[in-house]
Amino acid sequence: MPSSSQPIRIGIIGAGAVSDYHHVPGIRLDSRCVLAAVCDTSEELLAKRKGEWGVERVTTDPLEICRGDDVDAVVIATPNFTHRAIAVEAANHGKHVMCEKPLGLNGADVQDMYDAARRNKVVHMTAFTYRFAPAMRYLSHLLKGGSLGVPRHFRSQRFLDWAETSWGWRQYKATAGAGDLFDMTIHRLDFAMDLCGPLARVCGAVARFAPRDKTKEGKECPPSEVDDWSALIGEFRDGAVGVWEGTTLAKGYHRNGFGHEWAEINGAEGSAVYQLHEPNTILLGKTGDDLHAVPVPSEFLSPLGSPRNPTEGEPATVFRYDLMWEFVSAIVEGREAVPSFRDGLNAQLVADAVLVSHEERRWVDLELE
Ligand SMILES: NC(=O)c1ccc[n+]([C@@H]2O[C@H](COP(=O)([O-])OP(=O)(O)OC[C@H]3O[C@@H](n4cnc5c(N)ncnc54)[C@H](O)[C@@H]3O)[C@@H](O)[C@H]2O)c1
């Protein structure tokens, strides 16, 4: 651990899309940390990232980063099946860990990660991005402050219009675990439980429509084994109910790649809606009223103390940089990160239960921490 005047040295493991889109811009914005090392199993990508990200120390071996003394914290942004082993190794070597969602392939994987992080007393964080959207922050503030009354219904729609070609590692059970459910719906399970508390039981279903047996270049590949549609209904422990639907096959919902996202709370006193494509506006309504747009107040546009200027950049992109601000703040302030591995575990257990519910055609009870 560096002294307070030295920046936190971050090692990125997995130099693919999400590291480039979320994590490296987040590090660049934050003078309290530096990008100290990058690992990827692709030598070609590493060579490219060296120039693009301006980093000297690169390796193809994740264990070198986990065990080395030139890094204080790691970001794990590799395919899902690799998260557990890397996170446990990093925590066992005293590194703080932010790991991408889903944390693992199943609850047992994630329990190991959570146990290792707690045992080694490191900061642990799950990269549940949409908790950081300004409209979501404001919605959470309104609900938790009582302005909407007791939450009764939660509703989430995540509709994407994606190509039906191969998803690479994302379309096989051994490397991804599940499809839309673990990739997209899991974020919505997390923020629903942040708003309404733990789920008590769920009844879910998944479906696969696209064969995905060709790459976008037209090369043949083994077909998809995972869902491209997932849905569930659920009962929260505190009495609210929820409904979720997600798909990557919603033609006509492209919206510049951001798709359609609608997440809504109907409370006893009012309703509020977050939408990804307009993250700096919330829809609000009281009884007898129509839902109407309200700008998110400035104090919710970026985290307290963050140097990010919320008027710069594409609004549906730039809030993602706040993940890094939270991770580094938790390290510097010596506190738990939010969302933590506990949140990642709870969301994973619910997603696992959706698969059981689908297989066994029944409601599944949950006992979350
Ligand atoms: N939080 C979010 O909103 C969000 C968005 C996109 C992706 N993700 C998650 O981030 C993770 C990565 O997704 P992506 O879209 O960046 O994938 P990607 O395929 O673009 O990148 C993954 C990278 O990891 C590398 N890699 C594979 N195995 C490795 C290993 N053992 N050690 C080091 N590097 C390895 C690959 O070469 C590749 O460059 C996934 O878990 C995904 O679910 C989260």
Side-chain angles (χ1 to χ4, degrees):
M1 185 71 199
S3 77
S4 56
S5 58
Q6 286 175 322
I8 308 292
R9 298 163 304 173
I10 296 188
I12 285 189
I13 305 178
V18 78
S19 290
D20 196 43
Y21 190 39
H22 298 187
H23 303 307
V24 170
I27 293 171
R28 281 205 185 111
L29 270 173
D30 191 339
S31 60
R32 304 169 304 169
C33 64
V34 287
L35 178 58
V38 176
C39 168
D40 200 283
T41 42
S42 159
E43 302 243 13
E44 201 186 330
L45 183 62
L46 275 184
K48 185 164 168 271
R49 294 310 193 205
K50 249 185 147 173
E52 287 172 348
W53 295 352
V55 62
E56 270 311 304
R57 164 105 166 88
V58 295
T59 172
T60 54
D61 180 6
L63 300 185
E64 233 187 77
I65 305 271
C66 297
R67 294 172 183 167
D69 57 11
D70 51 356
V71 155
D72 307 303
V74 300
V75 174
I76 303 173
T78 48
N80 307 345
F81 75 104
T82 65
H83 292 175
R84 190 196 66 80
I86 299 173
V88 169
E89 191 70 15
N92 283 345
H93 286 84
K95 313 296 181 210
H96 306 293
V97 187
M98 170 155 58
C99 183
E100 274 300 344
K101 47 46 66 178
L103 285 186
L105 294 181
N106 52 55
D109 266 16
V110 178
Q111 186 72 55
D112 285 352
M113 297 164 70
Y114 183 35
D115 290 347
R118 279 192 300 181
R119 201 171 52 241
N120 291 289
K121 298 188 170 45
V122 296
V123 170
H124 46 90
M125 178 166 168
T126 308
F128 280 133
T129 313
Y130 303 94
R131 282 219 202 181
F132 296 84
M136 183 53 73
R137 283 194 189 111
Y138 187 43
L139 192 158
S140 169
H141 165 82
L142 290 175
L143 184 71
K144 291 172 187 171
S147 308
L148 304 174
V150 175
R152 289 173 171 165
H153 317 150
F154 170 86
R155 188 168 302 111
S156 163
Q157 297 175 331
R158 183 70 175 122
F159 299 162
L160 290 153
D161 179 357
W162 280 1
E164 297 196 13
T165 45
S166 167
W167 273 347
W169 63 264
R170 277 186 167 78
Q171 67 179 19
Y172 305 111
K173 285 189 178 162
T175 45
D180 180 75
L181 177 65
F182 282 15
D183 204 31
M184 295 292 162
T185 299
I186 201 159
H187 284 286
R188 284 86 211 166
L189 295 171
D190 170 66
F191 63 59
M193 290 195 283
D194 180 47
L195 297 169
C196 300
L199 277 154
R201 61 195 61 81
V202 292
C203 183
V206 292
R208 181 171 67 250
F209 294 91
R212 302 187 191 282
D213 52 3
K214 289 206 173 57
T215 65
K216 60 176 187 299
E217 294 79 27
K219 259 180 67 184
E220 286 190 18
C221 64
S224 169
E225 301 165 350
V226 300
D227 54 290
D228 38 36
W229 174 85
S230 58
L232 66 143
I233 53 175
E235 294 175 355
F236 294 90
R237 211 183 279 167
D238 286 347
V241 292
V243 52
W244 293 251
E245 186 188 7
T247 174
T248 52
L249 299 175
K251 310 303 179 196
Y253 281 88
H254 191 264
R255 209 174 242 159
N256 203 22
F258 292 115
H260 165 80
E261 167 145 46
W262 179 279
E264 172 172 0
I265 285 283
N266 307 131
E269 308 292 330
S271 297
V273 179
Y274 142 81
Q275 297 179 91
L276 173 60
H277 75 288
E278 286 195 5
N280 296 345
T281 302
I282 192 167
L283 302 182
L284 281 178
K286 297 272 178 180
T287 186
D289 207 2
D290 289 323
L291 288 175
H292 53 275
V294 173
V296 172
S298 59
E299 65 265 36
F300 297 95
L301 292 179
S302 58
L304 191 66
S306 151
R308 186 171 68 74
N309 177 350
T311 65
E312 276 174 15
E314 161 58 56
T317 294
V318 292
F319 69 80
R320 297 160 201 264
Y321 310 160
D322 299 345
L323 283 161
M324 190 58 67
W325 181 263
E326 168 59 17
F327 183 47
V328 174
S329 297
I331 297 170
V332 169
E333 294 163 18
R335 61 165 171 85
E336 234 190 52
V338 182
S340 69
F341 277 8
R342 184 177 50 251
D343 300 298
L345 175 60
N346 284 342
Q348 185 70 54
L349 292 171
V350 179
D352 289 356
V354 169
L355 293 175
V356 173
S357 170
H358 173 73
E359 283 295 313
E360 300 181 5
R361 299 296 202 228
R362 65 174 178 92
W363 280 82
V364 176
D365 289 330
L366 292 155
E367 283 186 26
L368 305 180
E369 219 185 282

